[in-house]
Amino acid sequence: MSLNHLFLGKFKIYGLRDGFFYLDGGAMFGVVPKVLWQKKYPVDKENRIKLGLNSLLIDTGRSLVLIETGAGVDLKQKMVEYYSLERKQGLIYALGNVGVGVDDIDYVINTHLHFDHCGGNTVKKESGEFVPVYSQAKYIIQKVEWKTALNPSARDKPSYLPQYFRPLKENGLLQLEEGISEVTKGVEVIPVSGHTAGHQCVKIYAEDQVIFFLGDLIPTSAHINLPYIMSYDLYPIETLKNKDIYLKQAVEEEWIIALNHDPDYFFGRVAMKNDNYNFIPL
Ligand SMILES: [Zn+2]
């Protein structure tokens, strides 16, 4: 069993899951040949790998911060089938299990606006209108990401579904950031480009411990090796550079890292072994 919560001083940090989905293994590992990546990751008969839709809930003692909202409940049936979305109870149920209701959340952070990170931002009413789920929260997004999502390229248009983010602005809940910003005491967003231009990571300072939520910089524990980079990344050289910067820091400063799409692990540490970065699960 992997660890799904950390209690550090006043901070309580929970790994919660909206469900699982499947993506093409080749696309997930980019230029790395299958003979290498399949040693680390099982593959189904359609050459797909299983991924988690992982969120983090941070209770700082003063505020409740939710990082990522999963794929949500309103994905079109065609997409549910295409991604074999396994979603039994979902994120709102998982929040309820730790005693948190949607109206209790003060801040929602989306690392970026692809549907598998922000699909639970909104919900469809009977009228067909989409409204924010976390109605008392500010939604924290980088301005660069917001602009990209409104005018996506043909390449990432299928991943940006406006019903999951446009209503945030219409309802006055959108908080756009330009650069590093402290969301609340002990929780900071940091732009880390590569997957998209406006992608951000989240740094949490709890007692003397840093917990670093990587977003799609390193989606699973199998992506800890530097060249293991998704084909989905728009700026892979940026990803490579940023992986090295943050993994080096994670080793030196003994950070805990948190994973966005790992189907087994929420938390781990990083160690150097034979000149390679290695993931050590918590
Ligand atoms: Zn993702």
Side-chain angles (χ1 to χ4, degrees):
M1 236 337 243
S2 65
L3 194 65
N4 60 8
H5 66 264
L6 302 165
F7 291 171
L8 298 161
K10 280 192 192 139
F11 278 53
K12 295 180 184 149
I13 298 153
Y14 303 90
L16 305 175
R17 200 168 268 137
D18 194 40
F20 298 96
F21 70 130
Y22 291 75
L23 289 175
D24 183 80
M28 280 304 289
F29 291 107
V31 298
V32 179
K34 187 178 176 187
V35 286
L36 294 180
W37 64 253
Q38 73 177 0
K39 288 181 197 160
K40 295 183 171 220
Y41 221 112
V43 59
D44 73 4
K45 60 181 189 315
E46 290 173 55
N47 203 46
R48 300 178 311 171
I49 64 168
K50 183 178 184 177
L51 298 162
L53 291 159
N54 304 347
S55 292
L56 227 57
L57 172 71
I58 307 146
D59 179 352
T60 71
R62 291 196 216 176
S63 328
L64 286 171
V65 183
L66 179 65
I67 311 176
E68 313 290 47
T69 60
V73 293
D74 292 307
L75 212 56
K76 289 220 168 71
Q77 191 53 30
K78 205 170 79 183
M79 283 177 85
V80 169
E81 285 165 20
Y82 178 69
Y83 295 111
S84 295
L85 189 70
E86 289 173 13
R87 193 176 178 286
K88 290 198 182 81
Q89 286 152 330
L91 181 61
I92 293 171
Y93 182 88
L95 284 166
N97 268 345
V98 294
V100 172
V102 291
D103 292 337
D104 298 331
I105 301 289
D106 300 296
Y107 302 97
V108 173
I109 299 172
N110 294 139
T111 59
H112 60 299
L113 293 172
H114 288 163
F115 76 89
D116 55 318
H117 298 257
C118 72
N121 279 0
T122 59
V123 67
K124 194 177 175 178
K125 292 205 299 189
E126 259 174 47
S127 62
E129 186 197 354
F130 280 80
V131 293
V133 170
Y134 304 96
S135 62
Q136 307 302 308
K138 285 279 179 221
Y139 286 71
I140 318 288
I141 296 154
Q142 289 291 323
K143 193 173 189 176
V144 173
E145 182 64 19
W146 180 258
K147 284 188 169 171
T148 308
L150 292 178
N151 292 296
S153 67
R155 188 179 147 128
D156 53 2
K157 203 169 182 180
S159 296
Y160 284 121
L161 306 178
Q163 63 271 31
Y164 296 152
F165 49 83
R166 273 189 194 272
L168 309 178
K169 186 168 187 198
E170 291 155 10
N171 288 275
L173 303 183
L174 180 65
Q175 185 174 323
L176 293 180
E177 299 294 349
E178 291 179 82
I180 295 177
S181 169
E182 188 177 65
V183 174
T184 183
K185 198 167 166 35
V187 182
E188 194 176 85
V189 290
I190 302 175
V192 180
S193 61
H195 184 64
T196 65
H199 177 278
Q200 61 186 352
C201 293
V202 187
K203 198 172 184 179
I204 303 148
Y205 304 86
E207 295 282 290
D208 293 332
Q209 180 69 61
V210 167
I211 298 129
F212 199 77
F213 188 85
L214 291 155
D216 272 348
L217 178 66
I218 299 174
T220 78
S221 55
H223 289 83
I224 206 106
N225 265 356
L226 290 180
Y228 283 57
I229 292 173
M230 296 185 276
S231 295
Y232 300 106
D233 285 23
L234 293 175
Y235 310 98
I237 290 297
E238 287 281 302
T239 304
L240 182 66
K241 188 186 77 187
N242 283 324
K243 276 176 81 168
D244 202 21
I245 289 173
Y246 288 100
L247 286 174
K248 195 172 279 167
Q249 233 179 323
V251 174
E252 284 170 6
E253 298 173 17
E254 299 179 1
W255 291 358
I256 290 171
I257 56 168
L259 298 166
N260 206 162
H261 286 312
D262 199 283
D264 300 312
Y265 305 118
F266 287 106
F267 303 108
R269 289 188 188 271
V270 190
M272 284 304 272
K273 197 177 155 194
N274 305 327
D275 244 10
N276 279 317
Y277 293 111
N278 259 267
F279 178 78
I280 301 154
L282 278 187

